[in-house]
Amino acid sequence: MIGRFDGGRLSSDGGLLILREVAKRLRVAERLAACIADPRDPTRTVHSLADIIGFRLLAIAAGYEDGNDADSLRSDQVFKMALERLPSERDLCSQATISRLENRPDTRALLRMGRAMADLYCASFRQVPRRIVLDVDDTFDAVHGGQQLRLFNAHYDEYGFQPIVVFDGDGRFVTAVLRPAKRPKGTEIRGFPRRLIRTIRANWPHTQILLRADGHYACPEVLDWCEAAGIDYVLGLPTSRTLRRHVTTLEASTAARFQATPGVEKMRRFKEFYDGASTWSRVRRIVARVEAGELGTDTRFIVTNLRHGTGRWLYEGLYCARGQAENHIEAWKAHLATDRTSCTKASANQFRLFLHAGAYWLLWSLRSLMPKRSRWRTVQFDTLRLRLVKIAARIVEMKTQIKVHLPTSAPDQAIIHLALGRLPRLIS
């Protein structure tokens, strides 16, 4: 057996031509590029901002999360075609060009990008929804250098960031904000959704919005703002002695019922009541979930301003569904390597969050084209990349056309045809 790198014009990312069609309809690169002032001389500009950002988005989606990879990928024929260039034309931008761009946006540009990401979210719907659910959560991002905003977190025993991330109930990416690795204060939490929802309201003035988050987002500032702004919320509550007084009897009776019912793995019961912390401006509706099992009793609390629904439905059917947001964050971090926040400037790392969010949009949109009841609709991003993007392709450039030869034995040809046929349905 003899192995040589002499196969000719081959690429290992033939499926990028599918993502190119997705990117053309979403226009993520164009939206982000429009937020950045370009001081370069137009007569001497070789790579537009949209082309640089588009190259970076496609590279991240294909599994090349580091800017250094651009030096090898810039001559790849499929990447060139994905950015509307002929295989024989000039190479794409280098790593140095990408690094200069990442350090260019200032605070105002990043604020515009945040609004652009929210506008992209709104544009992803075929029609204005009657109601949306926004899941707010944070995630730890370890760093290993002297980056701005880094902070030591005793819980993780590392330096890092703790960005706040927002997805909707269907897994669409909404926005992300870089911040130090510490618990946010109430005023910081309130300011974040206020700016976000202002942008969403500009697109959808009458859409009902439900905010879901865990316990440390249930601060008085957020509760008061949500009620004043007409925002529904279902938020976790930290357990306290005041809350436990309402369920002492229920905990004892639930444990007794569990012991008296052999063969039952766990027993759950719910209780609703109104109460308020000393820092709250009013009493609010609280739901307690008491669970008894072999390891004893476990009690959780949520607070809501919704007046309908039973306690069981509010907790199990509505609040617990926010756990899916952790899967979306895991996909964003593990499959798209969003923790590559290694720039010195905080503004550059915030820009990187938006770049990785744009790559998330490409793969999420591709997955949303799949049949609803098929396994492709729920497949992980790394599997989607492996099966539909990492396809060998031989490029033959002719005078009037370009031929892309894909493997005859490619196992997922049918789903590729289906995705291409459904691309016109994407709203841009």
Side-chain angles (χ1 to χ4, degrees):
M1 181 177 68
I2 299 176
R4 294 178 181 151
F5 289 97
D6 59 358
R9 294 195 170 208
L10 292 172
S11 173
S12 59
D13 300 293
L16 276 179
L17 299 178
I18 306 175
L19 284 182
R20 177 190 70 168
E21 299 302 316
V22 176
K24 286 171 62 177
R25 284 159 176 79
L26 294 179
R27 301 184 67 252
V28 185
E30 289 78 6
R31 292 174 186 271
L32 294 178
C35 302
I36 307 173
D38 190 354
R40 298 176 298 173
D41 184 355
T43 61
R44 298 186 177 183
T45 299
V46 177
H47 310 289
S48 69
L49 295 182
D51 284 344
I52 300 171
I53 294 175
F55 183 24
R56 191 79 172 96
L57 295 182
L58 290 172
I60 294 171
Y64 306 104
E65 62 272 5
D66 292 318
N68 293 341
D69 296 317
D71 288 338
S72 300
L73 299 174
R74 59 187 306 217
S75 59
D76 186 286
Q77 289 79 20
V78 171
F79 271 95
K80 288 184 180 181
M81 293 170 61
L83 291 166
E84 307 298 332
R85 292 194 182 187
L86 295 174
S88 58
E89 288 184 344
R90 187 167 183 166
D91 286 352
L92 303 175
C93 65
S94 65
Q95 173 269 326
T97 302
I98 290 175
S99 295
R100 285 192 293 270
L101 174 62
E102 289 179 345
N103 285 275
R104 180 168 300 283
D106 57 11
T107 302
R108 291 182 180 275
L110 293 172
L111 288 173
R112 290 193 291 268
M113 287 184 197
R115 291 192 290 269
M117 294 302 295
D119 290 337
L120 171 62
Y121 165 71
C122 294
S124 68
F125 288 78
R126 294 180 178 278
Q127 56 186 8
V128 177
R130 186 181 64 85
R131 183 183 184 88
I132 61 172
V133 178
L134 300 180
D135 290 316
V136 184
D137 206 347
D138 51 62
T139 181
F140 183 74
D141 175 10
V143 300
H144 307 284
Q147 292 93 329
Q148 293 178 351
L149 294 185
R150 74 165 191 155
L151 192 67
F152 184 79
N153 188 294
H155 176 75
Y156 295 98
D157 196 27
E158 284 188 280
Y159 283 91
F161 306 124
Q162 196 159 334
I164 297 178
V165 190
V166 182
F167 292 87
D168 81 345
D170 295 323
R172 293 178 175 87
F173 195 101
V174 184
T175 193
V177 172
L178 189 76
R179 52 178 307 281
K182 64 178 180 178
R183 181 171 178 173
K185 295 181 179 180
T187 52
E188 180 185 356
I189 298 175
R190 179 185 60 190
F192 172 66
R194 182 169 56 188
R195 290 189 297 272
L196 171 62
I197 290 176
R198 184 185 301 132
T199 303
I200 295 176
R201 289 287 193 210
N203 288 275
W204 302 329
H206 306 295
T207 296
Q208 297 176 343
I209 300 175
L210 173 69
L211 204 65
R212 287 193 305 211
D214 61 15
H216 66 264
Y217 289 90
C219 49
E221 294 87 348
V222 173
L223 299 179
D224 290 339
W225 174 79
C226 285
E227 290 163 354
I231 305 299
D232 297 332
Y233 61 81
V234 177
L235 305 173
L237 272 182
T239 302
S240 65
R241 286 181 296 178
T242 302
L243 296 175
R244 291 291 298 274
R245 285 202 300 264
H246 290 275
V247 295
T248 302
T249 303
L250 182 63
E251 287 177 333
S253 63
T254 303
R257 286 191 182 187
F258 173 76
Q259 295 296 334
T261 311
V264 177
E265 183 178 353
K266 291 181 180 179
M267 180 169 290
R268 278 187 174 185
R269 298 176 70 190
F270 296 85
K271 181 179 180 178
E272 296 183 45
F273 56 91
Y274 282 82
D275 202 344
S278 59
T279 56
W280 288 6
S281 60
R282 45 165 292 186
V283 297
R284 294 180 169 94
R285 184 185 183 186
I286 298 173
V287 176
R289 186 273 285 159
V290 177
E291 183 176 271
E294 293 291 343
L295 300 179
T297 59
D298 176 66
T299 303
R300 304 291 176 89
F301 299 92
I302 60 172
V303 59
T304 181
N305 61 347
L306 294 175
R307 297 185 178 183
H308 63 276
T310 64
R312 177 179 293 273
W313 176 81
L314 286 171
Y315 185 87
E316 293 184 338
L318 190 59
Y319 176 73
C320 286
R322 66 166 291 275
Q324 189 64 23
E326 297 181 5
N327 294 330
H328 304 323
I329 293 176
E330 182 65 21
W332 189 46
K333 291 180 65 176
H335 304 152
L336 294 170
T338 190
D339 57 353
R340 294 298 195 272
T341 46
S342 55
C343 295
T344 301
K345 294 170 59 177
S347 58
N349 287 322
Q350 174 65 68
F351 184 32
R352 284 193 174 188
L353 291 186
F354 288 141
L355 291 175
H356 288 263
Y360 179 99
W361 267 108
L362 296 183
L363 292 177
W364 185 91
S365 300
L366 176 60
R367 189 173 63 183
S368 69
L369 297 173
M370 305 303 172
K372 288 187 177 180
R373 292 177 177 83
S374 73
R375 64 183 180 87
W376 290 99
R377 196 58 177 262
T378 57
V379 73
Q380 293 187 154
F381 284 168
D382 57 346
T383 302
L384 194 69
R385 176 193 298 135
L386 180 64
R387 304 296 292 271
L388 299 186
V389 177
K390 294 296 183 181
I391 304 174
R394 181 164 61 90
I395 311 300
V396 178
E397 183 178 356
M398 307 175 72
K399 190 171 183 179
T400 59
Q401 62 181 345
I402 299 174
K403 292 185 177 181
V404 181
H405 297 272
L406 301 174
T408 305
S409 59
D412 301 303
Q413 299 178 35
I415 201 68
I416 292 175
H417 284 294
L418 178 65
L420 289 172
R422 293 189 172 194
L423 273 170
R425 301 185 184 183
L426 278 181
I427 304 300
S428 59

